[in-house]
């Protein structure tokens, strides 16, 4: 029998910069494995970590979850169904078959509590999972706060973010069904890179429409996609009818995720050998991301901590759902009672300023209607630097959970976010992507509040990716050229006036 082990911290929690686990006779530091016997270790900050090996099955190292968690199963009030864009009737599986493979359609409508992760997917997950849970002790010291700040860091994946957690299973299920081509949209490029990576492993051709603002701001994301074999177009493009219409109205359009989705869906719907992949919003995408929260629950248990506050950024919502949904399950079961906060850009605040209504997921009105918080499907957000958060709506399941009162939401302008990012980078060393800077800014607010009240809260933050290819944004901030793009009431009112009027009993 292989020896299993767990690492437990001596009275003080684990080091702010080290993630240690043991598998058999191997000690793992981040992604590096040292072949050695478990023994006492002294970390650079003087903290001691004690390794214990045991044949007892109860002492297990935190590993990769073997099942995804479906929050819908635990909700007494189920979310409203998606509707057909023409008939306004609930969508049937056959309505989605032109876009998605059969298994993903099943997962989208599933009420099963857990869904097994295929071995082929687990094998690829093992390239970077489990991801580290890190205590931000240096940031705590900088802020002089009694709060204990932890972040779950997804930037260790090949693509540098949480997005491969769903890109890999989506590529797998398409390949399993014999599909040869997939198309998608991407904002900042994290999702496009992740799908290109996954497709390269399963022999699929991948075509990506990237929002024009990010296509111009982040050329290295495009090069990453192309390195993994993808074909990349700026959106709006002249390739699709949707793109041509937008360009005719506004030749300098910065694009939006809604437009890019329309272009990709148009191509998928017109070609029988092509399917569409989505990087956020839909239930099956959020389902795949729950590996984040499932791991994190075990990691926090291993160090004897329970979060009082959980914070994540939201655009479409996949990163936030991935961390928070397993914790919401524990909250519903009465085991914990954290405050859960979603943080969105002040210039694109769907949760805090949008309406909860049925709306299209794309600009052209080709997708099913979804009950979600929306700013209107033809709303084109200002080109903020957090390209991955420039979406007019919110994941319907997150919107439903928000309406049920299980979470809170707030909006923060981008200058405050980048101020927090600089503090984080100069204390913790990691340069965050622009998207999680929203979570960092909210975490800093919470930590400073703890400084005022003297509360030693445990704050858990979702750090969904690194910003190595987003340095142009940091240059703008450091040179004083970044501006806060305000919430435009007039524009959004005009956009909301075009939201379909759907009444369902």
């Amino acid at each position: 029998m292989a020896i299993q082990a767990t690492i437990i911290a001596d009275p003080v929690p684990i080091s702010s910069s080290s993630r240690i686990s043991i598998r058999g006779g191997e000690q793992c530091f981040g992604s590096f494995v040292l072949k050695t016997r478990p023994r006492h270790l002294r970390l650079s900050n003087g903290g001691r970590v004690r390794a214990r090996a045991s044949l007892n099955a109860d002492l297990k190292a935190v590993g990769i979850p073997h099942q995804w968690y479906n929050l819908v199963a635990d909700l007494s009030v189920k979310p409203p169904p998606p509707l057909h864009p023409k008939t306004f009737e609930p969508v049937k599986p056959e309505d989605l078959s032109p876009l998605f493979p059969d298994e993903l359609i099943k997962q989208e409508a599933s009420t099963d509590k857990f869904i097994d992760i295929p071995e082929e997917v687990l094998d690829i997950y093992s390239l970077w999972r489990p991801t580290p849970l890190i205590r931000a002790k240096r940031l705590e010291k900088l802020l002089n706060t009694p709060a204990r700040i932890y972040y779950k860091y997804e930037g260790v994946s090949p693509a540098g973010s949480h997005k491969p957690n769903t890109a890999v299973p989506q590529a797998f299920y398409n390949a399993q069904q014999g599909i040869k081509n997939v198309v998608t949209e991407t904002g900042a490029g994290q999702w496009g890179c992740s799908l290109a990576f996954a497709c390269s492993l399963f022999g699929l051709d991948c075509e990506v429409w990237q929002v024009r603002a990010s296509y111009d701001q982040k050329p290295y994301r495009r090069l990453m996609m192309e390195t993994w074999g993808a074909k990349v177009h700026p959106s709006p493009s002249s390739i699709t009818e949707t793109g041509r219409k937008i360009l005719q109205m506004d030749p300098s359009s910065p694009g939006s995720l809604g437009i890019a989705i329309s272009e990709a869906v148009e191509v998928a719907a017109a070609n029988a050998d092509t399917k569409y992949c989505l990087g956020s919003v839909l239930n099956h995408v959020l389902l795949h991301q729950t590996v984040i929260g499932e791991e994190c629950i075990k990691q926090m248990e291993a160090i004897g901590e329970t979060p009082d506050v959980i914070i994540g950024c939201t655009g479409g919502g996949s990163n936030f759902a991935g961390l928070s949904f397993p914790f919401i399950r524990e909250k519903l079961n009465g085991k914990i009672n954290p405050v859960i906060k979603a943080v969105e850009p002040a210039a694109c605040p769907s949760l805090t300023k949008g309406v909860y209504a049925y709306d299209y997921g794309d600009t052209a009105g080709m997708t099913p209607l979804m009950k979600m918080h929306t700013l209107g499907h033809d709303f084109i957000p200002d080109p903020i630097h957090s390209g991955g958060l420039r979406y007019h709506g919110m994941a319907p399941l997150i919107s439903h959970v928000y309406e049920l009162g299980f979470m809170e939401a707030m909006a923060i302008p981008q200058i405050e976010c980048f101020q927090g990012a600089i503090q984080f980078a100069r204390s913790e060393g990691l340069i965050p992507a622009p998207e999680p800077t929203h979570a960092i800014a909210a975490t800093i607010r919470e930590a400073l509040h703890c400084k005022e009240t003297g509360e030693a809260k445990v704050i858990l933050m979702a750090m969904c990716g690194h910003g190595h290819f987003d340095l142009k944004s940091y240059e703008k901030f450091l040179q004083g050229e970044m501006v806060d793009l305000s919430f435009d009431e007039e524009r959004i009112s005009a956009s909301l006036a075009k939201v379909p009027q759907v009444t369902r009993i």
Side-chain angles (χ1 to χ4, degrees):
M1 178 183 293
I3 294 177
Q4 292 182 311
T6 187
I7 297 297
I8 62 171
D10 279 321
V12 291
I14 60 173
S15 160
S16 60
S17 58
S18 299
R19 173 176 67 97
I20 303 176
S21 62
I22 291 182
R23 298 192 301 266
E26 302 174 347
Q27 290 178 353
C28 308
F29 293 73
S31 59
F32 297 93
V33 178
L34 303 180
K35 302 286 185 178
T36 181
R37 292 188 301 273
R39 58 187 175 85
H40 281 71
L41 302 172
R42 184 173 293 276
L43 304 181
S44 60
N45 69 350
R48 289 169 60 102
V49 174
R50 187 170 64 253
R52 300 188 308 183
S54 173
L55 297 177
N56 191 325
D58 291 335
L59 294 177
K60 297 180 179 178
V62 174
I64 304 171
H66 281 61
Q67 293 179 311
W68 295 304
Y69 167 64
N70 184 8
L71 178 62
V72 174
D74 284 327
L75 296 178
S76 57
V77 179
K78 303 303 181 187
L83 305 180
H84 193 283
K86 304 299 182 185
T87 67
F88 289 6
E89 293 298 316
V91 166
K92 300 174 183 177
E94 55 266 29
D95 296 328
L96 299 176
S97 59
L99 298 181
F100 303 110
D102 295 342
E103 186 57 36
L104 292 180
I105 293 173
K106 291 178 185 176
Q107 291 179 7
E108 185 65 24
S110 176
T111 56
D112 293 341
K113 188 168 184 175
F114 293 100
I115 294 175
D116 291 338
I117 303 175
E119 287 297 326
E120 295 89 342
V121 173
L122 286 170
D123 182 58
I124 297 173
Y125 276 178
S126 68
L127 293 174
W128 72 92
R129 306 212 70 86
T131 58
L133 174 69
I134 303 170
R135 182 171 174 189
K137 292 184 72 174
R138 295 171 184 82
L139 180 61
E140 294 170 15
K141 183 177 180 180
L142 176 69
L143 301 175
N144 191 26
T145 179
R148 299 192 295 281
I149 302 171
Y150 293 88
Y151 59 96
K152 179 68 166 163
Y153 183 47
E154 292 292 304
V156 296
S157 77
S161 77
H162 67 294
K163 293 294 188 178
N165 296 333
T166 185
V168 171
Q170 288 193 49
F172 168 73
Y173 289 125
N174 274 287
Q176 187 182 52
Q177 194 165 311
I179 304 302
K180 301 300 182 184
N181 310 300
V182 298
V183 294
T184 195
E185 78 296 323
T186 193
Q190 296 276 24
W191 166 242
C193 288
S194 299
L195 188 63
F197 156 70
C199 287
S200 73
L201 299 180
F202 290 104
L204 299 175
D205 289 334
C206 179
E207 195 167 3
V208 182
W209 275 261
Q210 183 174 18
V211 173
R212 166 60 80 173
S214 293
Y215 183 92
D216 293 337
Q217 289 173 354
K218 307 172 195 294
Y220 293 110
R221 293 270 185 229
R222 172 177 56 80
L223 286 171
M224 282 183 74
M225 290 182 252
E226 293 173 342
T227 298
W228 276 312
K231 184 184 294 184
V232 187
H233 311 287
S235 174
S237 74
S238 60
I239 297 171
T240 67
E241 183 180 350
T242 297
R244 289 190 292 271
K245 286 181 178 178
I246 298 293
L247 289 173
Q248 188 174 8
M249 292 186 292
D250 181 7
S252 61
S253 171
S256 70
L257 279 168
I259 295 171
I261 291 171
S262 292
E263 294 201 83
V265 168
E266 180 182 324
V267 171
N271 294 275
D273 63 348
T274 302
K275 297 292 185 185
Y276 168 68
C277 295
L278 184 62
S280 192
V281 180
L282 295 181
N283 289 358
H284 69 266
V285 180
L286 276 54
L287 173 81
H288 300 156
Q289 292 293 352
T290 58
V291 293
I292 303 172
E294 294 289 8
E295 278 180 10
C296 195
I297 286 174
K298 297 297 183 184
Q299 289 170 322
M300 298 211 79
E301 287 175 351
I303 58 172
E305 291 277 41
T306 301
D308 297 300
V309 184
I310 299 173
I311 298 172
C313 66
T314 48
S318 67
N319 154 69
F320 175 80
L323 179 64
S324 67
F325 279 8
F327 283 97
I328 290 176
R329 176 191 66 220
E330 302 301 292
K331 184 173 183 175
L332 292 174
N333 290 335
K335 295 180 180 180
I336 58 176
N337 190 31
V339 174
I340 300 172
K341 296 184 178 183
V343 192
E344 57 187 5
C348 192
S350 58
L351 278 172
T352 54
K353 296 291 186 179
V355 298
Y356 185 50
Y358 272 104
D359 197 8
Y360 299 105
D362 70 316
T363 299
M366 301 175 68
T367 69
L369 289 154
M370 298 176 287
K371 188 75 175 286
M372 61 182 177
H373 290 85
T374 179
L375 298 171
H377 59 275
D378 65 350
F379 174 70
I380 299 179
D382 288 323
I384 58 173
H385 291 280
S386 296
L389 305 185
R390 293 179 66 248
Y391 184 58
H392 67 272
M394 182 54 60
L397 190 50
I398 290 179
S399 287
H400 183 62
V401 168
Y402 183 52
E403 288 295 306
L404 293 176
F406 297 147
M407 54 173 277
E408 302 175 0
M410 60 193 299
I412 298 181
Q414 64 179 356
I415 288 180
E416 181 182 346
C417 294
F418 274 85
Q419 289 170 340
I422 295 297
Q423 287 180 293
F424 187 89
R426 292 178 181 177
S427 57
E428 292 299 310
L430 295 175
I431 299 175
E435 290 78 16
T437 64
H438 293 75
I440 292 170
T443 295
I444 290 173
R445 285 188 186 183
E446 189 71 33
L448 291 177
H449 178 70
C450 288
K451 179 180 177 180
E452 295 176 0
T453 64
E455 296 173 279
K457 289 183 179 179
V458 175
I459 304 171
L460 172 61
M461 179 181 68
M463 173 69 96
C464 57
H466 67 66
H468 298 171
F469 300 110
D470 303 288
L471 294 178
K472 191 69 177 177
S473 302
Y474 282 88
E475 181 182 36
K476 290 283 188 183
F477 175 79
L478 292 171
Q479 292 183 351
E481 297 174 1
M482 183 175 287
V483 296
D484 281 332
L485 300 170
S486 61
F487 174 74
D488 191 326
E489 295 277 2
E490 185 175 339
R491 280 174 55 211
I492 292 181
S493 294
S495 180
L496 289 175
K498 299 178 184 177
V499 171
Q501 300 300 306
V502 179
T503 302
R504 292 190 60 82
I505 299 176

